[in-house]
Amino acid sequence: MKDETNSQYTSTGTVKSESPDAATSVNDGVATIESLILQHSSRGMYILRRYMPADYCMKAAEDLLRQQRGKVLICTGFYCFGTGETDGPVGTYFLAKALKELGYSPVIVTDMYSMRYFIADPSYQLVEYDNESFENIEGNNSYADINNRSYIEDCVAMISIERCGRASDGRYYNMKGVDISRFTSGIDDIFIRSKCLTIGIGDGGNEIGMGNLEDIIREEINIIPSSVKVDDLIIATVSNWGAYGFMAALGKLTGKSLLPSADDVREYLRYIVILGAVDGIKGEGHYSVDGFGPEVDGEIIDALSSICDD
């Protein structure tokens, strides 16, 4: 979803109209998981919400919990500024822990730019998807290799968190409309070919799953949208927040405490920034995600925890 400059999105990725406080005014002021993860929205996600189920996080959680306890792929990593960004890996790391707590076997799938953010934790399987940047995308001759990879066998679900999805022309674009295909491996192909439950979490319109609303995104948000569809789409102001919302819904349905603490999130964020992760908007190694500092993350997590306790 990210820009390749150090400024806020202006020339592309603009929206026709959206109230910055819209997410706090739904349901007659009653906070929901969805309203919390859409707080501070200014890039069109609240526009998309009009076309989605009101309780889309709960729906995705219910669909996952209907699956047998088996292997779940969690795919992440968005190339920007020569490295991987902070949005996506944080949510992935803590969702993997939550799924393990629920009895699933999480497998994190990422690319060379974000692999190092996960390699130190042996508690889950980690796969680097390295099909040479998918430059052969038009021929789509990667299918045989993908089919032979053992980590996609017998999956009960695949979840994408802030992973770029191909557009209708088969290329990958950031929020400025810059073609980043040479830096983006074709992880989305396993979603296109999947026969299991697929869930996509995004915040801009060009991520895996946004194909569910492709025409609306093109018309109302004015970016080049992803065409990759999923069974359940989760939108948020920040994709990490979407992952937290999904965890909150899973926790509410199972009665388990699955959300990380604000301190845990802050610690892991610092860890990956030290390893080279950058804020996708600022373009630098700040301890922030999409321009939001840890204090805002903490507010979102605390509010979601309160909902789960109700």
Side-chain angles (χ1 to χ4, degrees):
M1 48 155 266
K2 296 301 175 264
D3 196 353
E4 289 292 301
T5 72
N6 291 335
S7 61
Q8 297 281 350
Y9 307 132
T10 53
S11 63
T12 309
T14 56
V15 298
K16 291 184 177 179
S17 63
E18 180 178 32
S19 169
D21 298 321
T24 63
S25 61
V26 297
N27 293 342
D28 297 323
V30 177
T32 65
I33 291 174
E34 290 75 17
S35 68
L36 289 173
I37 63 176
L38 284 169
Q39 287 189 90
H40 312 292
S41 176
S42 61
R43 289 183 290 144
M45 293 304 98
Y46 204 77
I47 292 173
L48 298 188
R49 188 181 179 182
R50 302 170 191 163
Y51 302 92
M52 296 181 62
D55 56 347
Y56 55 81
C57 284
M58 195 65 71
K59 179 181 180 300
E62 289 171 345
D63 286 348
L64 178 63
L65 291 172
R66 290 191 188 100
Q67 313 305 311
Q68 65 182 7
R69 298 303 191 263
K71 187 189 302 181
V72 177
L73 300 192
I74 315 175
C75 305
T76 195
F78 204 114
Y79 171 86
C80 63
F81 301 99
T83 186
E85 66 160 300
T86 52
D87 194 17
V90 180
T92 294
Y93 179 75
F94 290 107
L95 179 58
K97 290 182 175 297
L99 293 180
K100 194 166 186 179
E101 175 69 18
L102 292 173
Y104 295 96
S105 299
V107 179
I108 295 177
V109 182
T110 189
D111 58 21
M112 61 181 288
Y113 300 104
S114 298
M115 183 78 171
R116 60 188 176 274
Y117 308 153
F118 304 103
I119 205 164
D121 191 335
S123 64
Y124 45 74
Q125 186 178 352
L126 176 61
V127 173
E128 179 179 352
Y129 193 105
D130 57 353
N131 65 330
E132 297 181 349
S133 301
F134 211 49
E135 278 297 272
N136 57 348
I137 194 166
E138 280 139 358
N140 203 20
N141 56 13
S142 63
Y143 180 38
D145 290 336
I146 291 168
N147 241 3
N148 289 333
R149 294 180 181 179
S150 61
Y151 60 85
I152 68 168
E153 295 175 357
D154 303 321
C155 289
V156 299
M158 297 180 182
I159 303 169
S160 173
I161 305 176
E162 187 63 15
R163 180 69 196 179
C164 193
R166 69 191 66 176
S168 58
D169 65 356
R171 310 299 292 178
Y172 299 92
Y173 298 93
N174 67 14
M175 286 287 282
K176 285 285 190 180
V178 175
D179 188 333
I180 57 171
S181 299
R182 63 188 292 255
F183 305 109
T184 305
S185 57
I187 291 176
D188 57 343
D189 204 62
I190 63 178
F191 284 79
I192 295 169
R193 308 286 183 176
S194 174
K195 296 181 180 179
C196 66
L197 174 69
T198 55
I199 299 170
I201 302 175
D203 62 13
N206 54 355
E207 302 91 355
I208 292 172
M210 292 294 186
N212 291 22
L213 300 173
E214 181 178 5
D215 291 339
I216 296 165
I217 293 169
R218 184 180 292 108
E219 293 171 5
E220 301 213 31
I221 303 183
N222 192 31
I223 70 165
I224 302 174
S226 167
S227 63
V228 181
K229 297 181 179 180
V230 291
D231 296 312
D232 289 299
L233 174 63
I234 294 174
I235 60 171
T237 301
V238 176
S239 291
N240 287 341
W241 300 358
Y244 306 151
F246 184 46
M247 283 181 257
L250 289 168
K252 200 166 181 63
L253 289 169
T254 61
K256 291 181 176 289
S257 179
L258 300 176
L259 283 166
S261 70
D263 287 342
D264 288 340
V265 168
R266 184 180 297 108
E267 181 179 348
Y268 184 70
L269 176 61
R270 287 182 61 85
Y271 169 72
I272 67 172
V273 169
I274 290 170
L275 291 177
V278 298
D279 183 306
I281 288 181
K282 296 179 179 179
E284 299 174 352
H286 289 265
Y287 298 125
S288 58
V289 181
D290 286 359
F292 295 102
E295 67 283 353
V296 183
D297 266 356
E299 291 171 4
I300 300 297
I301 292 168
D302 289 345
L304 288 170
S305 296
S306 295
I307 284 184
C308 291
D309 292 339
D310 290 343

